[in-house]
């Protein structure tokens, strides 16, 4: 290892990127999105979204990151020094994701332990919302602290620190090579077992039953594009940062295709597992699958424990495996959310990787304690909506403008093609990233903002404004603080 921020091999790079993409979105979001947007018919907008947006946009983020070999903030400053602010915006937004992801990881850690003895009792709903989270819808809930959640979150932060503060390859690189394959293997075991359950076919028939009439509806196209942005971690400066860590001979186009394929494979596999289990539950309880399906925390922490309660002895094997899968998927994603900000800080302020990670993790852990209060669940929902519907989509648009228009990504085409063993880029790529994507995402973004403003409660609006102030304020601070590293203005380019 010559550089502390370089992948040891192309395999580490690909696996770490798959680890970032394959996360909670693949397990708890995708099956529901597929089911509620036309079932089998959803594959048409889904494939279009991958080909038209997922792959072309990932190539753009990778290509520019690879070209600069430096952090996101440093590269954006090099493209145009007046725009440094935008270079900090995304890394800070992604770090905000890290902080609330740590809460979900903490809950899941608790469930890994509970699953050995079905510790959620006969009523998983009451256990999750009342006993564990002590959910309060009033802001005064911020004053009641829940030590169990705090401890579970701190365990997660210690694991993250243990991996992230090392040099890139000996920490994240090595861990990805073990955990990502392990994640896939465990998922296969779970799905194969689920498929053998009585009633599995009922769930699958419900899931895939195509509703072709929906293809004419704008919403299912929006759902497909939204899912791909989230699932592939697009426009988050993560792909950018990972590619800047790559060795000189990487074939980025082929890497992109492998990552998109692995991500889709995983989420479709997860959908098979989730709906087989729902089919089984439907058969046992006589409740229609439509009344059982859930997404998000409701699926993982309420529906699944309910199923384990009726599953008998098998639940003691399947339960821990399932919660472990969620933990690994979450862990390999959360590890990626600290990289863009950490690398940008290292570049500007000349701090070592290890020191930067330690500071960021302490700051993250302290702020995350807001989620260890009775109002934490509500705050998490508000922050998640703000980041996903407003901040990150804005990031994708900004990246299209800064990279495709101002940086002129067409100059990368020959370079990327010369290393590609699979497809070659042509004019079509520029048309997509310059015109189609910013316009389409712009429409989705305005729609999302409109939703948030129209449908939010008063509390949610307050938290949306607080999040915006924190995000914009922290971004401003990083931008105006004077650089300590003499190298800050020398972003080396490979092309
Ligand atoms: N792509 C991840 C998933 O599908 O769960 C989610 C994610 C990872 C979102 C990393 C944001 C992020 F920064």
């Amino acid at each position: 290892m010559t550089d502390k921020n370089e992948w040891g091999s192309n395999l580490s790079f690909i696996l770490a990127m798959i680890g970032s993409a394959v996360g909670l979105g693949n397990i708890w979001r995708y099956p529901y999105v597929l089911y509620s947007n036309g079932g089998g018919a959803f594959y048409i907008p889904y494939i279009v979204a991958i080909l038209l947006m997922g792959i072309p946009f990932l190539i753009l983020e990778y290509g520019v990151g690879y070209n600069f070999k430096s952090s996101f903030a440093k590269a954006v400053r090099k493209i145009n020094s007046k725009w440094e602010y935008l270079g900090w915006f995304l890394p800070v937004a992604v770090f905000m994701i890290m902080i609330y992801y740590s809460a979900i990881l903490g809950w899941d850690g608790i469930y890994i332990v509970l699953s050995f003895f079905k510790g959620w009792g006969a009523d998983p709903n009451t256990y999750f919302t009342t006993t564990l989270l002590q959910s309060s819808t009033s802001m005064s809930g911020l004053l009641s602290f829940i030590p169990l959640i705090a401890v579970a979150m701190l365990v997660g932060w210690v694991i993250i620190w243990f991996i992230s503060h090392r040099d890139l390859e000996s920490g994240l690189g090595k861990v990805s090579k073990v955990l990502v394959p392990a994640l896939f293997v465990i998922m296969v075991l779970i799905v194969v077992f689920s498929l053998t359950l009585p009633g599995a076919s009922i769930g699958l028939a419900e899931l895939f039953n195509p509703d072709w009439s929906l293809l004419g509806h704008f919403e299912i196209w929006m759902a497909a594009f939204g899912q791909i942005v989230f699932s592939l971690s697009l426009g988050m400066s993560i792909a950018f940062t990972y590619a800047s860590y790559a060795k000189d001979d990487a074939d980025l186009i082929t890497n992109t295709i492998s990552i998109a394929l692995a991500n889709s494979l995983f989420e479709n596999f997860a959908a098979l597992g989730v709906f087989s289990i729902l089919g089984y539950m439907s058969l046992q309880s006589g409740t229609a699958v439509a009344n059982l399906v859930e997404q998000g925390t409701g699926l993982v922490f309420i529906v699944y424990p309910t199923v384990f309660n009726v599953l008998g002895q098998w639940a003691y094997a399947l339960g821990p495996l399932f919660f472990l899968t969620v933990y690994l998927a979450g862990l390999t994603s959360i590890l990626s959310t600290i990289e863009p900000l950490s690398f940008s800080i290292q570049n500007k302020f000349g701090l070592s990787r290890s020191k930067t990670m330690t500071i960021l993790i302490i700051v993250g852990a302290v702020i995350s304690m807001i989620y260890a209060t009775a109002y934490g669940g509500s705050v998490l929902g508000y922050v998640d909506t703000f980041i996903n519907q407003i901040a990150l989509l804005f990031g994708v648009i900004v990246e299209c403008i800064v990279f495709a228009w101002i940086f002129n990504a067409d100059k990368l085409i020959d370079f990327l093609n010369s290393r590609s063993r699979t497809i070659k880029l042509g004019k079509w790529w520029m048309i997509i990233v310059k015109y189609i994507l910013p316009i389409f995402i712009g429409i989705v973004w305005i729609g999302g903002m409109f939703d948030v403003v129209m449908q939010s409660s008063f509390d949610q609006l307050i938290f949306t404004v607080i999040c915006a102030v924190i995000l914009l304020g922290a971004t401003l601070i990083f931008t105006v603080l004077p650089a300590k590293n003499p190298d800050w203005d020398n972003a080396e380019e490979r092309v």
Side-chain angles (χ1 to χ4, degrees), residues 18-29 93-95 97-98 100-101 227-234 236 238 263 267 329-330 332-334 336-338 340 387-388 392:
I18 293 176
S20 168
V22 171
L24 303 175
N26 300 58
I27 298 174
W28 80 25
R29 192 167 185 276
V94 174
F95 184 61
I97 299 187
M98 175 176 211
Y100 74 73
Y101 237 70
Q227 172 64 24
I228 291 302
V229 169
F230 185 82
S231 181
L232 277 176
S233 317
L234 294 186
M236 302 189 186
I238 292 175
N263 185 59
E267 64 191 7
T332 52
S333 290
I334 201 175
S336 71
T337 53
I338 196 170
I387 296 282
N388 283 306
L392 289 178

mmCIF file of all heavy atoms in Angstrom, residues 18-29 93-95 97-98 100-101 227-234 236 238 263 267 329-330 332-334 336-338 340 387-388 392, ligand 1:
data_model
loop_
_atom_site.group_PDB
_atom_site.id
_atom_site.type_symbol
_atom_site.label_atom_id
_atom_site.label_comp_id
_atom_site.label_asym_id
_atom_site.label_seq_id
_atom_site.Cartn_x
_atom_site.Cartn_y
_atom_site.Cartn_z
ATOM 1 N N ILE A 18 -20.681 -2.311 -4.048
ATOM 2 C CA ILE A 18 -21.899 -3.128 -3.934
ATOM 3 C C ILE A 18 -22.401 -3.054 -2.492
ATOM 4 O O ILE A 18 -23.599 -2.934 -2.235
ATOM 5 C CB ILE A 18 -21.615 -4.595 -4.340
ATOM 6 C CG1 ILE A 18 -21.290 -4.659 -5.837
ATOM 7 C CG2 ILE A 18 -22.824 -5.490 -4.028
ATOM 8 C CD1 ILE A 18 -20.911 -6.042 -6.337
ATOM 9 N N GLY A 19 -21.474 -3.061 -1.543
ATOM 10 C CA GLY A 19 -21.859 -2.956 -0.131
ATOM 11 C C GLY A 19 -22.609 -1.669 0.141
ATOM 12 O O GLY A 19 -23.590 -1.650 0.894
ATOM 13 N N SER A 20 -22.188 -0.592 -0.485
ATOM 14 C CA SER A 20 -22.882 0.682 -0.291
ATOM 15 C C SER A 20 -24.271 0.652 -0.920
ATOM 16 O O SER A 20 -25.254 1.107 -0.338
ATOM 17 C CB SER A 20 -22.071 1.820 -0.913
ATOM 18 O OG SER A 20 -22.842 2.983 -0.970
ATOM 19 N N ALA A 21 -24.351 0.088 -2.128
ATOM 20 C CA ALA A 21 -25.636 0.078 -2.832
ATOM 21 C C ALA A 21 -26.639 -0.862 -2.163
ATOM 22 O O ALA A 21 -27.801 -0.519 -1.965
ATOM 23 C CB ALA A 21 -25.413 -0.340 -4.288
ATOM 24 N N VAL A 22 -26.173 -2.066 -1.814
ATOM 25 C CA VAL A 22 -27.086 -3.040 -1.219
ATOM 26 C C VAL A 22 -27.285 -2.700 0.249
ATOM 27 O O VAL A 22 -26.385 -2.851 1.064
ATOM 28 C CB VAL A 22 -26.510 -4.464 -1.361
ATOM 29 C CG1 VAL A 22 -27.336 -5.449 -0.563
ATOM 30 C CG2 VAL A 22 -26.483 -4.867 -2.818
ATOM 31 N N GLY A 23 -28.452 -2.176 0.551
ATOM 32 C CA GLY A 23 -28.690 -1.768 1.936
ATOM 33 C C GLY A 23 -30.140 -2.000 2.304
ATOM 34 O O GLY A 23 -30.831 -2.827 1.700
ATOM 35 N N LEU A 24 -30.591 -1.237 3.268
ATOM 36 C CA LEU A 24 -31.959 -1.416 3.735
ATOM 37 C C LEU A 24 -32.961 -1.204 2.611
ATOM 38 O O LEU A 24 -34.006 -1.845 2.568
ATOM 39 C CB LEU A 24 -32.232 -0.436 4.869
ATOM 40 C CG LEU A 24 -31.254 -0.587 6.042
ATOM 41 C CD1 LEU A 24 -31.492 0.491 7.075
ATOM 42 C CD2 LEU A 24 -31.400 -1.963 6.659
ATOM 43 N N GLY A 25 -32.627 -0.314 1.680
ATOM 44 C CA GLY A 25 -33.529 -0.033 0.561
ATOM 45 C C GLY A 25 -33.829 -1.284 -0.243
ATOM 46 O O GLY A 25 -34.936 -1.470 -0.750
ATOM 47 N N ASN A 26 -32.841 -2.165 -0.367
ATOM 48 C CA ASN A 26 -33.049 -3.389 -1.140
ATOM 49 C C ASN A 26 -33.939 -4.368 -0.389
ATOM 50 O O ASN A 26 -34.637 -5.168 -0.972
ATOM 51 C CB ASN A 26 -31.714 -4.091 -1.404
ATOM 52 C CG ASN A 26 -30.768 -3.214 -2.169
ATOM 53 O OD1 ASN A 26 -30.435 -2.125 -1.724
ATOM 54 N ND2 ASN A 26 -30.345 -3.650 -3.327
ATOM 55 N N ILE A 27 -33.862 -4.342 0.938
ATOM 56 C CA ILE A 27 -34.603 -5.335 1.705
ATOM 57 C C ILE A 27 -35.990 -4.829 2.076
ATOM 58 O O ILE A 27 -36.975 -5.523 1.897
ATOM 59 C CB ILE A 27 -33.830 -5.702 2.987
ATOM 60 C CG1 ILE A 27 -32.491 -6.324 2.609
ATOM 61 C CG2 ILE A 27 -34.644 -6.644 3.864
ATOM 62 C CD1 ILE A 27 -31.587 -6.591 3.788
ATOM 63 N N TRP A 28 -36.077 -3.600 2.555
ATOM 64 C CA TRP A 28 -37.387 -3.205 3.059
ATOM 65 C C TRP A 28 -38.136 -2.251 2.145
ATOM 66 O O TRP A 28 -39.289 -1.977 2.345
ATOM 67 C CB TRP A 28 -37.302 -2.686 4.473
ATOM 68 C CG TRP A 28 -36.854 -1.273 4.692
ATOM 69 C CD1 TRP A 28 -36.936 -0.217 3.830
ATOM 70 C CD2 TRP A 28 -36.324 -0.751 5.911
ATOM 71 N NE1 TRP A 28 -36.469 0.903 4.423
ATOM 72 C CE2 TRP A 28 -36.092 0.609 5.704
ATOM 73 C CE3 TRP A 28 -36.024 -1.315 7.159
ATOM 74 C CZ2 TRP A 28 -35.567 1.427 6.698
ATOM 75 C CZ3 TRP A 28 -35.517 -0.490 8.135
ATOM 76 C CH2 TRP A 28 -35.282 0.852 7.904
ATOM 77 N N ARG A 29 -37.473 -1.735 1.127
ATOM 78 C CA ARG A 29 -38.164 -0.784 0.284
ATOM 79 C C ARG A 29 -38.563 -1.407 -1.043
ATOM 80 O O ARG A 29 -39.714 -1.321 -1.452
ATOM 81 C CB ARG A 29 -37.244 0.419 0.056
ATOM 82 C CG ARG A 29 -37.924 1.614 -0.563
ATOM 83 C CD ARG A 29 -37.019 2.839 -0.447
ATOM 84 N NE ARG A 29 -37.703 4.022 -0.926
ATOM 85 C CZ ARG A 29 -37.758 4.366 -2.196
ATOM 86 N NH1 ARG A 29 -37.196 3.605 -3.117
ATOM 87 N NH2 ARG A 29 -38.400 5.458 -2.569
ATOM 88 N N ALA A 93 -24.642 16.254 3.516
ATOM 89 C CA ALA A 93 -25.972 15.621 3.480
ATOM 90 C C ALA A 93 -25.839 14.111 3.703
ATOM 91 O O ALA A 93 -26.624 13.496 4.438
ATOM 92 C CB ALA A 93 -26.654 15.898 2.139
ATOM 93 N N VAL A 94 -24.824 13.515 3.083
ATOM 94 C CA VAL A 94 -24.655 12.068 3.216
ATOM 95 C C VAL A 94 -24.239 11.711 4.648
ATOM 96 O O VAL A 94 -24.634 10.677 5.188
ATOM 97 C CB VAL A 94 -23.644 11.555 2.161
ATOM 98 C CG1 VAL A 94 -23.330 10.095 2.371
ATOM 99 C CG2 VAL A 94 -24.208 11.760 0.771
ATOM 100 N N PHE A 95 -23.478 12.599 5.275
ATOM 101 C CA PHE A 95 -23.100 12.354 6.677
ATOM 102 C C PHE A 95 -24.348 12.420 7.581
ATOM 103 O O PHE A 95 -24.464 11.688 8.559
ATOM 104 C CB PHE A 95 -22.052 13.390 7.112
ATOM 105 C CG PHE A 95 -21.525 13.177 8.501
ATOM 106 C CD1 PHE A 95 -20.855 12.010 8.832
ATOM 107 C CD2 PHE A 95 -21.701 14.135 9.488
ATOM 108 C CE1 PHE A 95 -20.366 11.797 10.120
ATOM 109 C CE2 PHE A 95 -21.216 13.940 10.778
ATOM 110 C CZ PHE A 95 -20.549 12.764 11.092
ATOM 111 N N ILE A 97 -27.203 11.361 6.686
ATOM 112 C CA ILE A 97 -27.823 10.040 6.526
ATOM 113 C C ILE A 97 -27.165 9.060 7.493
ATOM 114 O O ILE A 97 -27.820 8.269 8.156
ATOM 115 C CB ILE A 97 -27.630 9.492 5.096
ATOM 116 C CG1 ILE A 97 -28.283 10.402 4.092
ATOM 117 C CG2 ILE A 97 -28.141 8.060 4.989
ATOM 118 C CD1 ILE A 97 -28.286 9.852 2.686
ATOM 119 N N MET A 98 -25.840 9.159 7.565
ATOM 120 C CA MET A 98 -25.109 8.231 8.427
ATOM 121 C C MET A 98 -25.667 8.275 9.855
ATOM 122 O O MET A 98 -25.852 7.239 10.499
ATOM 123 C CB MET A 98 -23.633 8.619 8.450
ATOM 124 C CG MET A 98 -22.850 7.779 9.408
ATOM 125 S SD MET A 98 -21.107 8.175 9.338
ATOM 126 C CE MET A 98 -20.432 6.580 9.754
ATOM 127 N N TYR A 100 -28.639 9.054 11.025
ATOM 128 C CA TYR A 100 -29.896 8.360 11.336
ATOM 129 C C TYR A 100 -29.870 6.870 10.977
ATOM 130 O O TYR A 100 -30.574 6.068 11.574
ATOM 131 C CB TYR A 100 -31.123 9.088 10.793
ATOM 132 C CG TYR A 100 -31.388 9.030 9.314
ATOM 133 C CD1 TYR A 100 -31.857 7.868 8.703
ATOM 134 C CD2 TYR A 100 -31.230 10.150 8.533
ATOM 135 C CE1 TYR A 100 -32.139 7.839 7.359
ATOM 136 C CE2 TYR A 100 -31.497 10.136 7.185
ATOM 137 C CZ TYR A 100 -31.947 8.972 6.597
ATOM 138 O OH TYR A 100 -32.224 8.933 5.264
ATOM 139 N N TYR A 101 -29.019 6.515 10.015
ATOM 140 C CA TYR A 101 -28.851 5.087 9.721
ATOM 141 C C TYR A 101 -28.345 4.366 10.967
ATOM 142 O O TYR A 101 -28.649 3.200 11.199
ATOM 143 C CB TYR A 101 -27.808 4.932 8.607
ATOM 144 C CG TYR A 101 -28.273 4.194 7.358
ATOM 145 C CD1 TYR A 101 -29.196 4.762 6.495
ATOM 146 C CD2 TYR A 101 -27.749 2.949 7.034
ATOM 147 C CE1 TYR A 101 -29.581 4.090 5.342
ATOM 148 C CE2 TYR A 101 -28.129 2.279 5.887
ATOM 149 C CZ TYR A 101 -29.050 2.857 5.046
ATOM 150 O OH TYR A 101 -29.421 2.198 3.908
ATOM 151 N N GLN A 227 -36.646 4.720 -6.898
ATOM 152 C CA GLN A 227 -36.040 3.519 -6.326
ATOM 153 C C GLN A 227 -34.587 3.373 -6.782
ATOM 154 O O GLN A 227 -33.706 3.061 -5.989
ATOM 155 C CB GLN A 227 -36.845 2.267 -6.725
ATOM 156 C CG GLN A 227 -36.213 0.935 -6.345
ATOM 157 C CD GLN A 227 -36.069 0.719 -4.833
ATOM 158 O OE1 GLN A 227 -36.796 1.320 -4.048
ATOM 159 N NE2 GLN A 227 -35.126 -0.116 -4.434
ATOM 160 N N ILE A 228 -34.341 3.629 -8.052
ATOM 161 C CA ILE A 228 -32.976 3.453 -8.562
ATOM 162 C C ILE A 228 -32.019 4.500 -7.973
ATOM 163 O O ILE A 228 -30.884 4.185 -7.610
ATOM 164 C CB ILE A 228 -32.967 3.466 -10.110
ATOM 165 C CG1 ILE A 228 -33.656 2.198 -10.624
ATOM 166 C CG2 ILE A 228 -31.568 3.544 -10.666
ATOM 167 C CD1 ILE A 228 -33.017 0.904 -10.146
ATOM 168 N N VAL A 229 -32.471 5.737 -7.818
ATOM 169 C CA VAL A 229 -31.600 6.758 -7.194
ATOM 170 C C VAL A 229 -31.202 6.299 -5.799
ATOM 171 O O VAL A 229 -30.029 6.298 -5.422
ATOM 172 C CB VAL A 229 -32.324 8.129 -7.072
ATOM 173 C CG1 VAL A 229 -31.507 9.079 -6.194
ATOM 174 C CG2 VAL A 229 -32.552 8.750 -8.427
ATOM 175 N N PHE A 230 -32.189 5.847 -5.027
ATOM 176 C CA PHE A 230 -31.930 5.468 -3.648
ATOM 177 C C PHE A 230 -31.092 4.196 -3.570
ATOM 178 O O PHE A 230 -30.100 4.109 -2.859
ATOM 179 C CB PHE A 230 -33.255 5.275 -2.910
ATOM 180 C CG PHE A 230 -33.071 4.999 -1.455
ATOM 181 C CD1 PHE A 230 -32.867 6.053 -0.577
ATOM 182 C CD2 PHE A 230 -33.074 3.713 -0.963
ATOM 183 C CE1 PHE A 230 -32.669 5.813 0.772
ATOM 184 C CE2 PHE A 230 -32.881 3.462 0.388
ATOM 185 C CZ PHE A 230 -32.678 4.523 1.257
ATOM 186 N N SER A 231 -31.524 3.208 -4.349
ATOM 187 C CA SER A 231 -30.919 1.899 -4.222
ATOM 188 C C SER A 231 -29.465 1.871 -4.699
ATOM 189 O O SER A 231 -28.609 1.239 -4.092
ATOM 190 C CB SER A 231 -31.762 0.906 -5.007
ATOM 191 O OG SER A 231 -31.241 -0.363 -4.893
ATOM 192 N N LEU A 232 -29.196 2.578 -5.794
ATOM 193 C CA LEU A 232 -27.815 2.566 -6.286
ATOM 194 C C LEU A 232 -26.956 3.640 -5.615
ATOM 195 O O LEU A 232 -25.819 3.848 -5.991
ATOM 196 C CB LEU A 232 -27.794 2.763 -7.797
ATOM 197 C CG LEU A 232 -28.027 1.516 -8.654
ATOM 198 C CD1 LEU A 232 -28.070 1.889 -10.127
ATOM 199 C CD2 LEU A 232 -26.946 0.480 -8.431
ATOM 200 N N SER A 233 -27.491 4.331 -4.622
ATOM 201 C CA SER A 233 -26.793 5.445 -3.953
ATOM 202 C C SER A 233 -26.270 6.452 -4.990
ATOM 203 O O SER A 233 -25.096 6.814 -4.985
ATOM 204 C CB SER A 233 -25.592 4.987 -3.113
ATOM 205 O OG SER A 233 -25.862 3.850 -2.357
ATOM 206 N N LEU A 234 -27.171 6.890 -5.890
ATOM 207 C CA LEU A 234 -26.743 7.822 -6.942
ATOM 208 C C LEU A 234 -26.687 9.245 -6.427
ATOM 209 O O LEU A 234 -27.502 9.646 -5.596
ATOM 210 C CB LEU A 234 -27.740 7.822 -8.108
ATOM 211 C CG LEU A 234 -27.888 6.560 -8.925
ATOM 212 C CD1 LEU A 234 -28.810 6.813 -10.107
ATOM 213 C CD2 LEU A 234 -26.532 6.108 -9.424
ATOM 214 N N MET A 236 -24.715 10.824 -4.552
ATOM 215 C CA MET A 236 -24.445 11.060 -3.135
ATOM 216 C C MET A 236 -22.974 11.343 -2.902
ATOM 217 O O MET A 236 -22.530 11.377 -1.766
ATOM 218 C CB MET A 236 -24.871 9.853 -2.331
ATOM 219 C CG MET A 236 -26.332 9.557 -2.527
ATOM 220 S SD MET A 236 -26.917 8.317 -1.409
ATOM 221 C CE MET A 236 -28.567 8.087 -2.035
ATOM 222 N N ILE A 238 -20.769 9.350 -3.118
ATOM 223 C CA ILE A 238 -20.119 8.124 -2.629
ATOM 224 C C ILE A 238 -19.395 7.439 -3.788
ATOM 225 O O ILE A 238 -18.206 7.121 -3.701
ATOM 226 C CB ILE A 238 -21.153 7.168 -2.003
ATOM 227 C CG1 ILE A 238 -21.711 7.777 -0.722
ATOM 228 C CG2 ILE A 238 -20.530 5.797 -1.748
ATOM 229 C CD1 ILE A 238 -22.821 6.974 -0.090
ATOM 230 N N ASN A 263 -26.769 -5.274 -7.580
ATOM 231 C CA ASN A 263 -27.766 -4.586 -6.762
ATOM 232 C C ASN A 263 -29.177 -5.053 -7.113
ATOM 233 O O ASN A 263 -29.997 -5.342 -6.242
ATOM 234 C CB ASN A 263 -27.610 -3.073 -6.974
ATOM 235 C CG ASN A 263 -28.525 -2.277 -6.086
ATOM 236 O OD1 ASN A 263 -28.463 -2.378 -4.871
ATOM 237 N ND2 ASN A 263 -29.415 -1.498 -6.694
ATOM 238 N N GLU A 267 -31.919 -7.171 -4.790
ATOM 239 C CA GLU A 267 -33.235 -6.677 -4.360
ATOM 240 C C GLU A 267 -34.372 -7.540 -4.889
ATOM 241 O O GLU A 267 -35.391 -7.715 -4.218
ATOM 242 C CB GLU A 267 -33.427 -5.182 -4.618
ATOM 243 C CG GLU A 267 -33.428 -4.687 -6.027
ATOM 244 C CD GLU A 267 -33.355 -3.150 -6.093
ATOM 245 O OE1 GLU A 267 -33.174 -2.494 -5.048
ATOM 246 O OE2 GLU A 267 -33.471 -2.596 -7.202
ATOM 247 N N ALA A 329 -26.274 -5.615 5.757
ATOM 248 C CA ALA A 329 -26.637 -4.730 4.645
ATOM 249 C C ALA A 329 -26.522 -3.276 5.104
ATOM 250 O O ALA A 329 -25.993 -2.417 4.392
ATOM 251 C CB ALA A 329 -28.053 -5.028 4.164
ATOM 252 N N GLY A 330 -27.003 -3.004 6.308
ATOM 253 C CA GLY A 330 -26.952 -1.633 6.837
ATOM 254 C C GLY A 330 -25.519 -1.210 7.121
ATOM 255 O O GLY A 330 -25.121 -0.083 6.799
ATOM 256 N N THR A 332 -22.616 -2.268 5.762
ATOM 257 C CA THR A 332 -21.791 -1.994 4.582
ATOM 258 C C THR A 332 -22.250 -0.715 3.867
ATOM 259 O O THR A 332 -21.472 -0.099 3.163
ATOM 260 C CB THR A 332 -21.784 -3.181 3.591
ATOM 261 O OG1 THR A 332 -23.137 -3.538 3.316
ATOM 262 C CG2 THR A 332 -21.058 -4.366 4.154
ATOM 263 N N SER A 333 -23.515 -0.319 4.070
ATOM 264 C CA SER A 333 -23.957 0.958 3.495
ATOM 265 C C SER A 333 -23.496 2.125 4.351
ATOM 266 O O SER A 333 -23.017 3.138 3.843
ATOM 267 C CB SER A 333 -25.478 1.017 3.381
ATOM 268 O OG SER A 333 -25.927 0.147 2.397
ATOM 269 N N ILE A 334 -23.635 1.987 5.656
ATOM 270 C CA ILE A 334 -23.313 3.129 6.519
ATOM 271 C C ILE A 334 -21.818 3.442 6.444
ATOM 272 O O ILE A 334 -21.402 4.593 6.541
ATOM 273 C CB ILE A 334 -23.782 2.871 7.977
ATOM 274 C CG1 ILE A 334 -23.927 4.194 8.714
ATOM 275 C CG2 ILE A 334 -22.848 1.958 8.733
ATOM 276 C CD1 ILE A 334 -24.509 4.046 10.110
ATOM 277 N N SER A 336 -20.091 3.546 3.935
ATOM 278 C CA SER A 336 -19.808 4.391 2.767
ATOM 279 C C SER A 336 -20.213 5.838 3.000
ATOM 280 O O SER A 336 -19.714 6.735 2.334
ATOM 281 C CB SER A 336 -20.527 3.851 1.528
ATOM 282 O OG SER A 336 -21.927 4.061 1.619
ATOM 283 N N THR A 337 -21.113 6.059 3.953
ATOM 284 C CA THR A 337 -21.655 7.417 4.095
ATOM 285 C C THR A 337 -20.694 8.387 4.761
ATOM 286 O O THR A 337 -20.916 9.579 4.747
ATOM 287 C CB THR A 337 -22.962 7.386 4.913
ATOM 288 O OG1 THR A 337 -22.698 6.706 6.143
ATOM 289 C CG2 THR A 337 -24.074 6.705 4.178
ATOM 290 N N ILE A 338 -19.623 7.881 5.349
ATOM 291 C CA ILE A 338 -18.676 8.781 6.002
ATOM 292 C C ILE A 338 -17.526 9.154 5.062
ATOM 293 O O ILE A 338 -16.846 10.162 5.259
ATOM 294 C CB ILE A 338 -18.134 8.134 7.306
ATOM 295 C CG1 ILE A 338 -17.479 9.190 8.190
ATOM 296 C CG2 ILE A 338 -17.195 6.979 7.021
ATOM 297 C CD1 ILE A 338 -17.146 8.688 9.583
ATOM 298 N N PRO A 340 -17.203 10.392 1.825
ATOM 299 C CA PRO A 340 -17.063 11.659 1.095
ATOM 300 C C PRO A 340 -16.657 12.827 1.998
ATOM 301 O O PRO A 340 -15.759 13.603 1.652
ATOM 302 C CB PRO A 340 -18.462 11.890 0.500
ATOM 303 C CG PRO A 340 -19.062 10.536 0.410
ATOM 304 C CD PRO A 340 -18.516 9.777 1.589
ATOM 305 N N ILE A 387 -33.922 14.534 3.605
ATOM 306 C CA ILE A 387 -32.704 14.182 2.877
ATOM 307 C C ILE A 387 -33.040 13.514 1.544
ATOM 308 O O ILE A 387 -32.510 13.879 0.497
ATOM 309 C CB ILE A 387 -31.829 13.215 3.719
ATOM 310 C CG1 ILE A 387 -31.347 13.908 4.985
ATOM 311 C CG2 ILE A 387 -30.671 12.663 2.911
ATOM 312 C CD1 ILE A 387 -30.189 14.846 4.786
ATOM 313 N N ASN A 388 -33.967 12.538 1.581
ATOM 314 C CA ASN A 388 -34.219 11.778 0.358
ATOM 315 C C ASN A 388 -35.063 12.513 -0.665
ATOM 316 O O ASN A 388 -34.848 12.388 -1.854
ATOM 317 C CB ASN A 388 -34.852 10.428 0.682
ATOM 318 C CG ASN A 388 -33.806 9.476 1.198
ATOM 319 O OD1 ASN A 388 -32.795 9.273 0.546
ATOM 320 N ND2 ASN A 388 -34.012 8.956 2.388
ATOM 321 N N LEU A 392 -31.016 15.140 -1.571
ATOM 322 C CA LEU A 392 -30.222 14.314 -2.481
ATOM 323 C C LEU A 392 -30.612 14.464 -3.944
ATOM 324 O O LEU A 392 -29.770 14.436 -4.826
ATOM 325 C CB LEU A 392 -30.288 12.850 -2.058
ATOM 326 C CG LEU A 392 -29.516 12.570 -0.774
ATOM 327 C CD1 LEU A 392 -29.657 11.108 -0.387
ATOM 328 C CD2 LEU A 392 -28.044 12.932 -0.912
HETATM 329 N N1 LIG B 1 -28.304 2.377 -1.346
HETATM 330 C C1 LIG B 1 -28.681 2.060 -0.008
HETATM 331 C C2 LIG B 1 -29.891 1.172 -0.001
HETATM 332 O O1 LIG B 1 -30.438 0.844 -1.043
HETATM 333 O O2 LIG B 1 -30.303 0.827 1.070
HETATM 334 C C3 LIG B 1 -29.078 3.223 0.787
HETATM 335 C C4 LIG B 1 -28.102 4.274 0.978
HETATM 336 C C5 LIG B 1 -26.767 4.025 1.146
HETATM 337 C C6 LIG B 1 -28.552 5.511 1.002
HETATM 338 C C7 LIG B 1 -25.916 5.034 1.342
HETATM 339 C C8 LIG B 1 -27.713 6.522 1.206
HETATM 340 C C9 LIG B 1 -26.407 6.270 1.368
HETATM 341 F F1 LIG B 1 -25.591 7.297 1.560
#
